[in-house]
Amino acid sequence: MQAVEITAFGGPEVLQRCERPRPEAGAGELLIRVSASGVNRPDVLQRTGNYPVPPGASDLPGLEVAGVIEAGDAAALAAAGLKLGDRVCALVAGGGYAQYCVAPVGQCLPVPAGLSDVEAASLPETFFTVWSNVFDRAHLQPGETLLIQGGSSGIGVTAIQMAKALGARVIVTVGSDDKAKACLALGADHAINYKTQDFVREVADVTGGAGVNVILDMVAGAYVAREIDCLADEGRLVIIAVQGGVKAEFNAGAVLRRRLAITGSTLRPRPVAFKAAIAQSLKAKVWPLIESGAIKPVIHSVYPAAQAAQAHALMESNQHIGKLVLSWA
C-alpha cells in the first residue's frame, strides 16, 4: 500500500510518500480501505519528535480515517452491527496516513448520513476529544457557559457546535477578526481577539462578572492563572494541550475558596474500552445532530495525500479555520 511516513524528525518536508505492507486486522479489529485521513496537531508534534508513539501503535502518523471496511474480526463486526463494505470513520492510535488502516471495531462509527468520506474523516479526533473533556470530564450542562481557547481550530469549531447544540452558551478566543467572524457564524455567542483584547476583562464584561463554568484550554502555561480569574464559582478548567508551556503559577487560594477544578487528559494512550465508550456516546447523542445538520464538518482544505507536507505547513502557520484532510482518491 501507499503511505506517508516520517523519514526523520523535523519540518514538514520530512513527510514522504512510501510503500508499506498492508496491515492485517487482529482480534477485535477491522481493516479500512482509506479514502481520507484527517490531519491534527498531534501529527505535527509526532513529526517534530515531541509526541512519542504509544506502544504497539503504527509509526505512521494519522489519528483518524474514513473509508470502507475491507476485512475484520467477524464476531466483533457482527456485535457492532457492522459488515464488510460499510462506510465508517475511525479514531486510531496511528497509521492513518495510509491507503489501508487497522482500527479497533469499538473505535469505529458509521459515516453519518449525507456526509462524504472526506467530511467523515474530519470528525473522530476532535469529536472524541471534545466529548471526553467538555462533557465527560467537565460535565458541561445546558445553560452553562463554555470558554474555548482557540475557537477556530479543529477542536474549537467542533466544541462550538457541540456545546451550542446541547444548550450551552459559548465564548471563544481567536487570533484575528476573520476567525472571530467565522466562529460567530458557527454559533459562538461572543468572540474575543486575544491579540487586541484582554480575554479576562472581556469574559468579565460578557458574563456580567459571573465568569464561565467551563474552559477548554489548549495553551496552559501562563494562561492558567488568567483562566482561574475567568471561572465562576464551581468552575472547571480542562487542559488538553500545552502550546504555551507545561509550567504554570496560579492562585491556589482562589481554587480553594471558589471550589474550582483543574483537570486534563490526553486521548491517544487511553485503552480501547475507554475510547469505545466515547464512540457509543457520540453515536447516541451527537451523530443524530450531524445527520440533522445541526452540527456540520468544517473543512478548510483538502490535500492529495502526497501533499501531506503542505497540509502540515498550513497547520503550523495557524492560518486555517477548521480541519485539514488528506485524500487518497
Side-chain angles (χ1 to χ4, degrees):
M1 69 175 183
Q2 294 294 306
V4 175
E5 66 182 0
I6 299 169
T7 56
F9 295 141
E13 70 281 356
V14 305
L15 293 172
Q16 297 289 332
R17 192 83 174 251
C18 67
E19 192 168 294
R20 290 283 188 97
R22 185 184 300 185
E24 294 184 2
E29 296 178 334
L30 53 75
L31 178 68
I32 298 170
R33 186 172 75 247
V34 177
S35 298
S37 313
V39 178
N40 293 282
R41 188 73 59 173
D43 304 344
V44 173
L45 295 175
Q46 180 178 333
R47 193 202 74 225
T48 57
N50 295 303
Y51 199 158
V53 176
S58 170
D59 66 301
L60 296 174
L63 302 177
E64 59 185 348
V65 297
V68 173
I69 300 175
E70 184 88 356
D73 180 329
L77 286 171
L82 297 171
K83 63 184 184 302
L84 302 186
D86 282 354
R87 295 171 62 225
V88 293
C89 57
L91 181 74
V92 294
Y97 289 13
Q99 289 179 316
Y100 290 87
C101 183
V102 166
V105 171
Q107 292 173 206
C108 297
L109 286 162
V111 171
L115 263 58
S116 68
D117 285 355
V118 164
E119 291 172 318
S122 76
L123 302 177
E125 171 68 9
T126 59
F127 277 72
F128 276 70
T129 298
V130 170
W131 184 268
S132 176
N133 287 283
V134 174
F135 296 95
D136 282 347
R137 295 189 72 80
H139 305 293
L140 181 69
Q141 300 296 311
E144 290 191 324
T145 301
L146 169 68
L147 170 63
I148 303 164
Q149 301 284 21
S152 63
S153 66
I155 291 285
V157 298
T158 297
I160 290 169
Q161 295 187 85
M162 204 182 294
K164 287 297 295 181
L166 294 172
R169 183 188 189 198
V170 175
I171 303 170
V172 300
T173 63
V174 292
S176 73
D177 291 341
D178 285 345
K179 289 182 176 181
K181 291 176 184 175
C183 290
L184 293 171
L186 287 171
D189 297 282
H190 300 278
I192 301 165
N193 185 338
Y194 64 82
K195 293 183 177 178
T196 60
Q197 298 171 291
D198 179 345
F199 74 77
V200 178
R201 184 179 301 116
E202 293 297 321
V203 166
D205 288 346
V206 166
T207 63
V212 300
N213 306 101
V214 175
I215 300 176
L216 182 61
D217 178 26
M218 293 167 266
V219 183
Y223 264 41
V224 174
R226 300 171 68 196
E227 287 166 337
I228 285 172
D229 291 339
C230 291
L231 284 170
D233 290 352
E234 310 276 358
R236 292 86 74 194
L237 167 60
V238 189
I239 300 169
I240 61 168
V242 290
Q243 295 176 25
V246 298
K247 294 184 178 180
E249 289 190 9
F250 56 87
N251 184 344
V255 175
L256 299 177
R257 291 191 304 273
R258 298 169 49 218
R259 303 171 302 285
L260 307 179
I262 302 174
T263 185
S265 73
T266 56
L267 186 58
R268 191 176 186 182
R270 299 302 295 273
V272 171
F274 178 84
K275 297 173 188 176
I278 299 172
Q280 290 307 305
S281 294
L282 290 172
K283 186 177 182 180
K285 300 173 183 176
V286 178
W287 253 227
L289 296 170
I290 299 173
E291 294 184 338
S292 74
I295 296 175
K296 298 178 181 179
V298 180
I299 297 175
H300 186 278
S301 298
V302 181
Y303 290 85
Q307 295 178 14
Q310 288 92 318
H312 275 227
L314 177 57
M315 175 159 281
E316 289 181 293
S317 76
N318 291 318
Q319 297 303 305
H320 61 295
I321 296 171
K323 293 297 295 280
L324 306 177
V325 178
L326 305 179
S327 172
W328 292 93

